[in-house]
């Protein structure tokens, strides 16, 4: 097969996948219990986050959350594309499928952890607890209600990812704040 033939085959498969996903979403996801559950969790999380958010630190907290969201989305794309896990129920028929969690639930939660912890020690303890809850409690529940499906994945791997989703952005933001402080003082 030539390069162009391979590319045409990939493009055709993508069209087929897109059409199949939209049909599956319309027939099995839209307005299902799991679909409403995802919508409800996102709305509640956003409301709680906005009420609790320290608006005086808005730029710093949004920057931190943006890094969390970016990392969560990259991880989700990699995991989904390598069929390590999948999402049988989606809020919208798009790839990556769990964008609402990656852009809302996960960053909002980690922003609040970042906001309410004053030291690295308290931050790490809280991220460890929340990461454990996400990986070992919430993900199995999401699996049970047909929102999340582990294929070649386990909860321990997710736990490590949640730790990274907290630690890496905090390190980046702390480093940037330190650099900014150096330049302000000079």
């Amino acid at each position: 097969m030539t390069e162009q033939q391979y590319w045409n085959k990939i493009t055709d498969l993508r069209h087929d996948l897109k059409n199949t996903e939209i049909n599956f979403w319309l027939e099995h996801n839209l307005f299902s219990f799991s679909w409403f559950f995802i919508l409800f969790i996102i709305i509640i999380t956003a409301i709680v986050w906005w009420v609790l958010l320290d608006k005086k630190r808005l730029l710093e907290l949004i920057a931190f959350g943006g890094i969390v969201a970016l990392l969560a989305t990259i991880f989700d794309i990699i995991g989904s594309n390598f069929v390590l896990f999948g999402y049988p129920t989606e809020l919208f028929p798009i790839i990556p499928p769990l964008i609402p969690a990656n852009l809302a639930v996960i960053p909002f939660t980690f922003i609040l952890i970042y906001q309410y912890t004053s030291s690295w020690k308290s931050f790490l303890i809280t991220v460890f607890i929340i990461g454990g809850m996400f990986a070992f409690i919430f993900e199995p529940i999401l699996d049970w209600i047909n929102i999340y499906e582990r294929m070649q994945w386990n909860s321990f791997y997710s736990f490590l990812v949640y730790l990274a989703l907290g630690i890496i952005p905090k390190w980046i933001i702390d480093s940037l704040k330190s650099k900014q402080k150096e330049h302000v003082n000079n």
Side-chain angles (χ1 to χ4, degrees), residues 27-89:
E27 293 177 24
H28 299 284
N29 285 184
L30 186 60
F31 306 127
S32 67
F33 170 79
S34 297
W35 185 88
F36 278 111
F37 181 81
I38 293 169
L39 184 63
F40 175 77
I41 291 298
I42 290 167
I43 292 169
I44 293 301
T45 303
I47 291 169
V48 169
W49 173 75
W50 185 251
V51 168
L52 298 177
L53 185 68
D54 180 357
K55 285 30 166 227
K56 294 176 188 166
R57 296 174 57 197
L58 190 60
L59 187 58
E60 173 188 350
L61 296 172
I62 295 297
F64 174 84
I67 296 168
V68 172
L70 176 66
L71 292 175
T73 300
I74 290 169
F75 167 72
D76 217 24
I77 290 168
I78 293 168
S80 296
N81 284 341
F82 282 97
V83 196
L84 300 174
F85 47 80
Y87 302 98
T89 304

Side-chain angles (χ1 to χ4, degrees), residues 122-133:
S122 61
F123 179 82
L124 290 173
I125 290 168
T126 308
V127 166
F128 188 86
I129 292 166
I130 296 299
M133 291 173 58

Side-chain angles (χ1 to χ4, degrees), residues 13-171:
L13 289 170
R14 284 183 176 160
H15 284 291
D16 290 345
L17 178 61
K18 176 193 69 162
N19 292 334
T20 303
E21 284 189 331
I22 290 171
N23 289 335
F24 178 78
W25 183 77
L26 288 170
E27 293 177 24
H28 299 284
N29 285 184
L30 186 60
F31 306 127
S32 67
F33 170 79
S34 297
W35 185 88
F36 278 111
F37 181 81
I38 293 169
L39 184 63
F40 175 77
I41 291 298
I42 290 167
I43 292 169
I44 293 301
T45 303
I47 291 169
V48 169
W49 173 75
W50 185 251
V51 168
L52 298 177
L53 185 68
D54 180 357
K55 285 30 166 227
K56 294 176 188 166
R57 296 174 57 197
L58 190 60
L59 187 58
E60 173 188 350
L61 296 172
I62 295 297
F64 174 84
I67 296 168
V68 172
L70 176 66
L71 292 175
T73 300
I74 290 169
F75 167 72
D76 217 24
I77 290 168
I78 293 168
S80 296
N81 284 341
F82 282 97
V83 196
L84 300 174
F85 47 80
Y87 302 98
T89 304
E90 304 172 348
L91 193 58
F92 306 109
I94 57 174
I95 295 178
L98 211 54
I99 284 288
N102 294 338
L103 299 182
V105 177
I106 294 169
F108 293 170
T109 302
F110 280 97
I111 286 170
L112 293 177
I113 293 170
Y114 179 80
Q115 174 181 309
Y116 284 109
T117 55
S118 57
S119 69
W120 263 101
K121 181 180 178 181
S122 61
F123 179 82
L124 290 173
I125 290 168
T126 308
V127 166
F128 188 86
I129 292 166
I130 296 299
M133 291 173 58
F134 278 2
F136 300 109
I137 297 171
F138 297 142
E139 282 187 5
I141 290 170
L142 294 176
D143 194 357
W144 181 64
I145 60 175
N146 203 38
I147 292 173
Y148 173 71
E149 180 181 357
R150 286 172 269 179
M151 293 158 194
Q152 299 174 30
W153 197 252
N154 67 52
S155 295
F156 182 72
Y157 299 152
S158 291
F159 176 66
L160 295 176
V161 168
Y162 290 122
L163 293 181
L165 289 177
I167 294 168
I168 293 169
K170 178 165 175 46
W171 177 81

